[in-house]
Coordinates of all heavy atoms in Angstrom, one line a residue:
I978 N 13.1 0.6 -1.2 CA 13.5 -0.8 -1.3 C 13.9 -1.3 0.0 O 14.6 -0.6 0.8 CB 14.5 -1.1 -2.4 CG1 14.8 -2.6 -2.6 CG2 15.8 -0.3 -2.1 CD1 15.8 -2.9 -3.8
T979 N 13.6 -2.6 0.4 CA 14.0 -3.2 1.6 C 14.7 -4.5 1.3 O 14.3 -5.2 0.3 CB 12.9 -3.4 2.6 OG1 11.9 -4.2 2.1 CG2 12.3 -2.1 3.1
W980 N 15.7 -4.9 2.1 CA 16.3 -6.2 1.9 C 16.9 -6.7 3.2 O 17.2 -5.9 4.0 CB 17.3 -6.2 0.7 CG 18.6 -5.5 1.0 CD1 19.7 -6.0 1.5 CD2 18.8 -4.1 0.9 NE1 20.7 -5.1 1.7 CE2 20.2 -3.9 1.3 CE3 18.1 -3.0 0.5 CZ2 20.7 -2.6 1.3 CZ3 18.6 -1.7 0.6 CH2 20.0 -1.6 0.9
L981 N 17.1 -8.0 3.2 CA 17.7 -8.7 4.4 C 19.1 -9.2 4.0 O 19.3 -9.8 3.0 CB 16.8 -9.8 4.8 CG 17.1 -10.5 6.2 CD1 16.8 -9.5 7.3 CD2 16.3 -11.8 6.3
Q982 N 20.1 -8.9 4.9 CA 21.4 -9.4 4.7 C 21.8 -10.0 6.1 O 21.9 -9.3 7.1 CB 22.4 -8.2 4.5 CG 23.1 -8.3 3.1 CD 24.0 -7.1 2.9 OE1 23.4 -6.0 2.6 NE2 25.2 -7.3 3.0
G983 N 21.9 -11.3 6.1 CA 22.0 -12.0 7.4 C 20.7 -11.8 8.2 O 19.6 -12.0 7.7
N984 N 20.8 -11.2 9.4 CA 19.6 -10.9 10.1 C 19.4 -9.4 10.2 O 18.6 -8.9 11.0 CB 19.7 -11.4 11.6 CG 19.3 -12.9 11.6 OD1 18.8 -13.5 10.7 ND2 19.5 -13.5 12.8
T985 N 20.1 -8.6 9.4 CA 19.9 -7.2 9.3 C 19.0 -6.8 8.2 O 19.3 -7.1 7.0 CB 21.3 -6.5 9.2 OG1 22.1 -6.9 10.3 CG2 21.2 -5.0 9.3
L986 N 18.0 -6.0 8.5 CA 17.1 -5.5 7.5 C 17.5 -4.0 7.2 O 17.6 -3.2 8.0 CB 15.7 -5.5 8.1 CG 14.5 -5.0 7.2 CD1 14.4 -5.9 5.9 CD2 13.2 -5.0 7.9
Y987 N 17.7 -3.8 5.9 CA 18.1 -2.5 5.4 C 17.0 -1.9 4.5 O 16.1 -2.6 3.9 CB 19.3 -2.6 4.5 CG 20.5 -3.0 5.3 CD1 20.9 -4.4 5.3 CD2 21.3 -2.1 5.9 CE1 22.1 -4.8 5.9 CE2 22.5 -2.5 6.6 CZ 22.9 -3.8 6.6 OH 24.0 -4.2 7.3
A988 N 17.0 -0.6 4.3 CA 16.1 0.1 3.4 C 16.9 1.2 2.7 O 17.9 1.8 3.3 CB 15.0 0.7 4.1
K989 N 16.5 1.5 1.5 CA 17.0 2.7 0.7 C 15.8 3.4 0.1 O 14.8 2.8 -0.3 CB 17.9 2.3 -0.4 CG 19.3 2.0 -0.1 CD 20.1 1.7 -1.3 CE 21.6 2.0 -1.1 NZ 22.3 1.8 -2.4
P1001 N 22.1 3.3 2.6 CA 21.3 2.3 3.3 C 21.0 2.7 4.7 O 21.9 3.3 5.4 CB 22.1 1.0 3.3 CG 23.2 1.2 2.2 CD 23.4 2.7 2.1
T1002 N 19.8 2.4 5.2 CA 19.4 2.7 6.6 C 19.1 1.3 7.2 O 18.4 0.5 6.6 CB 18.1 3.5 6.6 OG1 18.3 4.8 6.0 CG2 17.6 3.7 8.1
T1003 N 19.7 1.1 8.4 CA 19.4 -0.1 9.1 C 18.1 0.0 9.9 O 17.9 0.9 10.7 CB 20.6 -0.4 10.1 OG1 21.8 -0.5 9.4 CG2 20.3 -1.7 10.9
L1004 N 17.2 -0.9 9.6 CA 15.8 -0.9 10.2 C 15.8 -1.8 11.4 O 15.1 -1.6 12.4 CB 14.8 -1.3 9.2 CG 14.6 -0.4 8.0 CD1 13.4 -0.8 7.2 CD2 14.3 1.1 8.5
S1005 N 16.6 -2.9 11.3 CA 16.6 -3.9 12.4 C 17.8 -4.8 12.2 O 18.2 -5.1 11.1 CB 15.3 -4.8 12.4 OG 15.4 -5.8 13.4
T1006 N 18.3 -5.3 13.4 CA 19.4 -6.2 13.3 C 19.0 -7.6 13.8 O 19.8 -8.5 13.9 CB 20.6 -5.8 14.2 OG1 20.2 -5.6 15.6 CG2 21.2 -4.5 13.7
T1007 N 17.7 -7.8 14.0 CA 17.2 -9.1 14.5 C 16.0 -9.5 13.6 O 15.0 -10.1 14.1 CB 16.8 -9.1 15.9 OG1 15.7 -8.1 16.1 CG2 17.9 -8.8 16.9
A1008 N 16.1 -9.2 12.3 CA 15.0 -9.6 11.4 C 15.2 -11.0 10.8 O 16.3 -11.4 10.6 CB 14.9 -8.5 10.3
V1009 N 14.1 -11.6 10.5 CA 14.1 -12.9 9.7 C 12.9 -12.9 8.8 O 11.8 -12.5 9.2 CB 14.1 -14.1 10.7 CG1 12.9 -14.2 11.5 CG2 14.3 -15.4 9.9
I1010 N 13.1 -13.2 7.6 CA 12.0 -13.1 6.6 C 11.1 -14.4 6.7 O 9.9 -14.3 6.8 CB 12.5 -12.9 5.2 CG1 13.0 -11.5 5.2 CG2 11.4 -13.1 4.2 CD1 13.6 -11.0 3.8
G1014 N 7.6 -13.3 5.4 CA 7.9 -12.6 6.6 C 8.3 -11.2 6.4 O 8.8 -10.6 7.3
L1015 N 8.2 -10.6 5.3 CA 8.5 -9.2 5.0 C 7.5 -8.5 4.1 O 7.1 -9.1 3.1 CB 9.9 -9.1 4.3 CG 10.4 -7.7 3.9 CD1 10.7 -6.9 5.2 CD2 11.7 -7.8 3.1
V1027 N 7.0 -0.8 6.6 CA 7.6 -2.0 6.4 C 7.5 -2.9 7.6 O 7.6 -2.4 8.7 CB 9.1 -1.9 6.0 CG1 9.9 -1.2 7.0 CG2 9.7 -3.2 5.6
W1029 N 8.1 -7.0 9.5 CA 8.9 -8.2 9.4 C 8.7 -9.0 10.7 O 8.2 -8.5 11.7 CB 10.3 -7.9 9.2 CG 11.0 -7.2 10.3 CD1 11.7 -7.7 11.3 CD2 11.0 -5.7 10.5 NE1 12.1 -6.7 12.2 CE2 11.7 -5.5 11.7 CE3 10.5 -4.6 9.8 CZ2 12.0 -4.2 12.2 CZ3 10.7 -3.4 10.3 CH2 11.5 -3.2 11.5
I1030 N 9.3 -10.2 10.7 CA 9.3 -11.1 11.9 C 10.6 -10.9 12.6 O 11.7 -11.0 11.9 CB 9.1 -12.5 11.5 CG1 7.7 -12.7 10.9 CG2 9.2 -13.4 12.7 CD1 7.4 -14.1 10.3
D1031 N 10.6 -10.6 13.9 CA 11.8 -10.5 14.7 C 12.3 -11.9 15.1 O 11.5 -12.7 15.7 CB 11.5 -9.7 15.9 CG 12.7 -9.5 16.8 OD1 12.9 -10.3 17.7 OD2 13.4 -8.5 16.6
S1032 N 13.6 -12.2 14.8 CA 14.1 -13.5 15.0 C 14.3 -13.9 16.5 O 14.2 -15.0 16.9 CB 15.4 -13.7 14.3 OG 16.4 -12.8 14.8
G1033 N 14.4 -12.8 17.3 CA 14.6 -13.1 18.8 C 13.3 -13.4 19.5 O 13.3 -14.2 20.4
R1040 N 8.3 -0.5 10.9 CA 8.9 0.9 10.9 C 8.0 1.7 9.9 O 7.7 1.2 8.8 CB 10.3 0.9 10.5 CG 11.3 0.5 11.5 CD 11.6 1.3 12.7 NE 11.9 2.7 12.5 CZ 13.1 3.2 12.4 NH1 14.2 2.4 12.5 NH2 13.4 4.5 12.3
P1052 N 12.3 -0.1 15.7 CA 11.1 -0.9 15.4 C 10.0 -0.9 16.5 O 10.3 -0.8 17.7 CB 11.8 -2.3 15.3 CG 13.2 -2.1 15.1 CD 13.5 -0.8 15.8

Side-chain angles (χ1 to χ4, degrees):
I978 183 172
T979 58
W980 73 95
L981 190 68
Q982 243 176 285
N984 280 351
T985 303
L986 180 63
Y987 295 97
K989 278 184 157 186
T1002 298
T1003 300
L1004 299 181
S1005 174
T1006 57
T1007 60
V1009 61
I1010 291 179
L1015 177 66
V1027 61
W1029 65 92
I1030 299 171
D1031 180 272
S1032 64
R1040 286 291 303 268

